[in-house]
């Protein structure tokens, strides 16, 4: 059957119900085992081969845009569970040893006979052909999250009012983290209720729900929040509570101590969902910035198959919550790296300390700080997975409502929290906080949390203003970073790489000269050569930095033709004037203007 025919059948075929027809020669014996009976030659007895315990091929699977072919398998185990797995067709290649290993791990019993192994592969292929003829076809996907109005998780599909026949299909089994435990009511009473009055915990729960709104609200960019602060201050408790929204907090918690390739695979299992990363210090500072960009970009590296043909890139759309004792910028700088403004609007840095003397908490509901953290931690590990599921079930049929609420909330948040004249970067971050507010408001409206809507808005507003205060400007961040870099260059090299023009005695000659230092137009100035200026502005571009510093009063210009250099006389070895970048020494004092 062609890819087009399969896609057409998936759109037109009736719902998959009942049991598929067993291929000729295969049956289930009285012990519940799948067996194959082969015809004997002449008068010999038929040969019966036991293959495995009962196994059904429920449907044939294929991705919407061709590829992604596979088989939906279902079987009972002797421990009383019914397992269901959409296996990729590629697992039948060769001896199919990997396939048998996974099935054994899941609880299927397989005969050790080599003939049984070959017959298992034959059975799956023949049963799949029967499924295709009977219209038992389903759409496969390797990415969690929204597919129309269906929200696909590794072990189940939520929402789906249009009754799409869609299934999550991967070779690895990654459903453990999305388990359910306890009840929603107990989670509301023992976890969500204790979050009240605590800005970081309220924010954490709302941020955990927010990624389900990325697609309905047409937010294309993935992003995250990094909470930094002292050890044992409650940062990990925030992640535990946030993860309890989705499933098992321990199974869902990831470490920064992952390779970029490893995080790619993890990210595809958290698409339209939450990714939590603990302990930033475990990540190599040289790769931390690249990981932030990768997660925010929403796609992995391009790779080639063994044949040289390009593999399909891993893709995702998510929100991540991260913790560490340092900010991402400080961690990157710990080994001489430099962070960029783009990182700062993708991984939004927030202090974990709530400012109440209780670490990450504003109040502890009549408990000591440690006892409170232990209580909510324990409750989150006993009752989990229900909040996100209920939220998605509501959202699946109310995506237009969610978009409208987000638009109103974004406009309100901009008016309430953003200062006049804020830059586009600040607006981008403000809109991300507004999405978190929207998630919290909808969760309250739909009865998933019993919080006053004003508390949700206030918690996010407070944390946004803390972010803005630590950023130091409501304008674009690049000019501030460029100013700091030039200032740091002068603090590091001002005595050694700038030759005095006033005849001051030097104990050692200037090596690797970056410029001169002397009086110019009534100011004490550092006079950069073109090469010295390029070095000081590395990573930003010399012209852009010159313009930013000139606008801020930290670079003297002659105002002719938009040039940013000055004609300076009296330079040793030059009979005439020389074009230099004149930076007043007042830049080292941290003032607003020279």
């Amino acid at each position: 059957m062609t890819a087009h025919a399969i896609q057409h059948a998936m759109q037109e075929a009736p719902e998959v119900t009942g049991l598929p027809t067993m291929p000729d020669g295969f049956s289930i014996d009285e012990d519940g085992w799948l067996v194959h009976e082969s015809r004997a030659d002449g008068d010999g007895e038929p040969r019966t081969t036991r293959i495995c315990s009962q196994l059904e091929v429920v449907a044939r699977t294929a991705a919407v845009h061709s590829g992604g072919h596979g088989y939906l398998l279902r079987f009972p185990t002797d421990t009383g569970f019914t397992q269901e797995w959409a296996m990729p067709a590629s697992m039948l290649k060769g001896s199919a040893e990997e396939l048998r290993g996974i099935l054994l791990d899941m609880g299927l019993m397989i005969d050790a006979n080599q003939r049984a192994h070959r017959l298992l592969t034959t059975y799956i292929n023949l049963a799949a052909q029967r499924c295709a003829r009977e219209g038992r076809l389903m759409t496969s996907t390797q990415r969690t999250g929204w597919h129309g109005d269906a929200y696909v998780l590794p072990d189940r599909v939520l929402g789906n009012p249009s009754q799409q026949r869609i299934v999550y299909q991967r070779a690895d089994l990654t459903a453990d983290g999305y388990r359910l435990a306890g009840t929603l009511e107990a989670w509301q009473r023992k976890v969500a209720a204790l979050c009240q009055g605590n800005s970081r915990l309220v924010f954490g729960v709302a941020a955990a729900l927010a990624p389900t709104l990325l697609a309905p609200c047409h937010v294309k960019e993935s992003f995250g929040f990094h909470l930094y602060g002292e050890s044992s201050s409650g940062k990990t408790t925030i992640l535990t509570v946030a993860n309890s929204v989705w499933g098992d907090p321990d199974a869902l918690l990831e470490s920064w101590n992952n390779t970029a390739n490893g995080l790619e695979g993890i990210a595809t299992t958290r698409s339209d969902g939450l990714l939590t990363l603990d302990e930033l210090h475990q990540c190599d500072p040289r790769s931390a910035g690249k990981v932030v960009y990768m997660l925010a970009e929403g796609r992995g590296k391009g790779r080639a198959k063994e044949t040289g043909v390009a593999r399909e890139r891993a893709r995702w759309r998510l929100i991540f919550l991260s913790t560490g004792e340092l900010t991402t910028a400080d961690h990157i700088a710990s080994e001489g790296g430099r962070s960029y403004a783009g990182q700062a609007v993708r991984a939004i840095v927030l202090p974990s300390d709530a400012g109440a003397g209780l670490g990450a908490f504003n109040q502890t509901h009549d408990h000591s700080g440690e006892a409170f953290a232990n209580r909510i931690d324990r409750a989150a590990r006993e009752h989990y997975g229900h909040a996100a599921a209920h939220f998605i079930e509501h959202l699946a049929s109310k995506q237009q409502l969610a978009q409208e609420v987000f638009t109103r909330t974004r406009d309100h948040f901009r008016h309430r929290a953003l200062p006049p004249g804020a830059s586009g970067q600040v607006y981008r971050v403000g809109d991300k906080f507004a999405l978190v507010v929207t998630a919290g408001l909808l969760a309250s409206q739909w009865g998933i949390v019993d919080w006053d809507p004003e508390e949700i808005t206030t918690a996010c507003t407070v944390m946004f203003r803390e972010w803005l205060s630590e950023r130091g400007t409501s304008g674009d961040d690049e000019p501030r970073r460029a100013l700091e870099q030039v200032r740091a260059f002068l603090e590091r090299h001002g005595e050694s790489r700038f030759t005095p023009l006033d005849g001051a005695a030097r104990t050692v000659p200037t090596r690797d000269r970056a410029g001169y230092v002397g009086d110019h137009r009534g100011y004490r100035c550092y006079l950069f050569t073109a090469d010295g200026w390029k070095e000081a502005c590395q990573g930003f571009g010399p012209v852009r930095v010159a313009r930013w510093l000139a606008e801020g009063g930290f670079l003297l210009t002659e105002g002719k033709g938009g040039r940013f250099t000055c004609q300076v006389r009296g330079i040793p070895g030059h009979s005439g004037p020389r074009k230099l970048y004149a930076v007043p020494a007042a830049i080292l004092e941290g003032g607003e203007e020279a």
Side-chain angles (χ1 to χ4, degrees), residues 459-535:
C460 293
T461 303
V462 165
M463 296 186 72
F464 172 78
R465 287 174 176 165
E466 289 176 355
W467 168 80
L468 191 59
S469 175
E470 294 219 349
R471 185 175 189 262
T473 177
S474 61
D476 284 337
D477 205 28
E478 286 94 340
R480 178 185 65 83
R481 288 171 178 263
L483 172 63
E484 290 177 351
Q485 183 168 308
V486 172
R487 181 179 290 151
F489 183 89
L490 290 172
E491 290 174 342
R492 193 162 55 246
H493 303 299
E495 295 295 322
S496 61
R497 297 182 60 188
F498 289 81
T499 301
L501 296 180
D502 54 7
R506 291 180 62 90
T507 58
V508 293
T510 305
R511 293 182 180 276
D512 194 17
R513 181 186 293 119
Y516 306 86
V517 59
D519 293 334
H520 180 68
R521 287 169 47 181
Y523 295 98
R524 185 72 170 171
C525 291
Y526 288 95
L527 305 165
F528 284 84
T529 64
D531 287 342
W533 185 246
K534 287 180 182 178
E535 182 182 349

Side-chain angles (χ1 to χ4, degrees), residues 92-130:
L92 291 179
K93 68 181 180 181
S95 67
E97 183 176 358
E98 183 183 0
L99 165 65
R100 293 193 299 275
I102 292 177
L103 290 173
L104 288 166
D105 277 346
M106 295 178 68
L108 185 73
M109 293 179 285
I110 302 175
D111 194 280
N113 187 285
Q114 291 294 321
R115 177 176 169 80
H117 295 173
R118 293 193 298 270
L119 285 170
L120 175 60
T121 300
T122 301
Y123 168 73
I124 293 175
N125 269 320
L126 291 175
Q129 292 173 22
R130 285 283 181 109

Side-chain angles (χ1 to χ4, degrees), residues 13-28:
E15 183 180 359
V16 175
T17 58
L19 294 176
T21 306
M22 190 74 69
D24 292 340
F26 293 88
S27 61
I28 303 296

Side-chain angles (χ1 to χ4, degrees), residues 253-498:
L253 181 62
E254 299 292 340
S255 168
W256 273 100
N257 187 23
N258 262 300
T259 64
N261 290 347
L263 282 175
E264 274 189 31
I266 294 168
T268 59
T269 69
R270 310 292 172 86
S271 188
D272 288 331
L274 177 71
L275 171 63
T276 53
L277 296 166
D278 203 11
E279 301 296 349
L280 175 63
H281 74 271
Q282 294 182 0
C283 180
D284 184 346
R286 293 168 294 184
S287 63
K290 295 179 181 177
V291 170
V292 168
Y293 271 115
M294 180 194 75
L295 291 175
E297 188 179 25
R299 62 177 184 170
K301 292 181 181 178
R303 296 180 176 85
K305 298 179 181 179
E306 295 176 359
T307 59
V309 178
R311 295 180 186 271
E312 185 177 355
R313 287 193 179 195
R315 296 182 183 275
W316 58 84
R317 175 180 48 206
L318 53 75
I319 292 176
F320 61 91
L321 285 180
S322 164
T323 66
E325 294 182 28
L326 298 176
T327 68
T328 48
D330 288 344
H331 183 63
I332 292 168
S334 66
E335 289 196 7
R338 184 169 75 83
S339 60
Y340 297 87
Q343 292 166 352
V345 298
R346 289 169 170 83
I348 301 159
V349 174
L350 301 168
S352 63
D353 194 308
L358 297 168
F361 311 124
N362 299 88
Q363 62 162 289
T364 56
H365 296 274
D366 299 323
H367 292 77
S368 68
E370 182 178 2
F372 175 75
N374 289 339
R375 179 181 177 185
I376 197 169
D377 227 51
R378 184 169 57 253
R381 285 178 165 84
E382 293 174 351
H383 305 278
Y384 53 74
H386 300 281
H390 280 75
F391 190 85
I392 291 167
E393 291 290 352
H394 281 279
L395 182 57
S397 58
K398 299 181 178 70
Q399 295 193 24
Q400 181 62 39
L401 169 65
Q403 185 181 350
E404 294 169 359
V405 172
F406 172 60
T407 300
R408 293 196 301 269
T409 301
R410 181 187 59 198
D411 294 344
H412 176 70
F413 192 84
R414 287 176 175 179
H415 177 75
R416 174 172 175 166
L418 270 66
S423 70
Q425 291 174 353
V426 174
Y427 267 83
R428 282 175 63 190
V429 173
D431 289 352
K432 292 173 172 63
F433 276 89
L435 190 74
V436 176
V437 175
T438 302
L441 294 177
L442 290 173
S444 176
Q445 180 179 329
W446 294 336
I448 294 164
V449 294
D450 186 21
W451 298 341
D452 188 314
E454 182 59 28
E455 178 171 15
I456 299 164
T457 304
T458 299
C460 293
T461 303
V462 165
M463 296 186 72
F464 172 78
R465 287 174 176 165
E466 289 176 355
W467 168 80
L468 191 59
S469 175
E470 294 219 349
R471 185 175 189 262
T473 177
S474 61
D476 284 337
D477 205 28
E478 286 94 340
R480 178 185 65 83
R481 288 171 178 263
L483 172 63
E484 290 177 351
Q485 183 168 308
V486 172
R487 181 179 290 151
F489 183 89
L490 290 172
E491 290 174 342
R492 193 162 55 246
H493 303 299
E495 295 295 322
S496 61
R497 297 182 60 188
F498 289 81

Side-chain angles (χ1 to χ4, degrees), residues 73 75-79 81-86 99-109 173:
L73 308 182
F75 57 91
T77 69
D78 58 2
T79 54
F81 292 96
T82 297
Q83 297 279 33
E84 193 169 275
W85 174 42
L99 165 65
R100 293 193 299 275
I102 292 177
L103 290 173
L104 288 166
D105 277 346
M106 295 178 68
L108 185 73
M109 293 179 285
L173 304 177

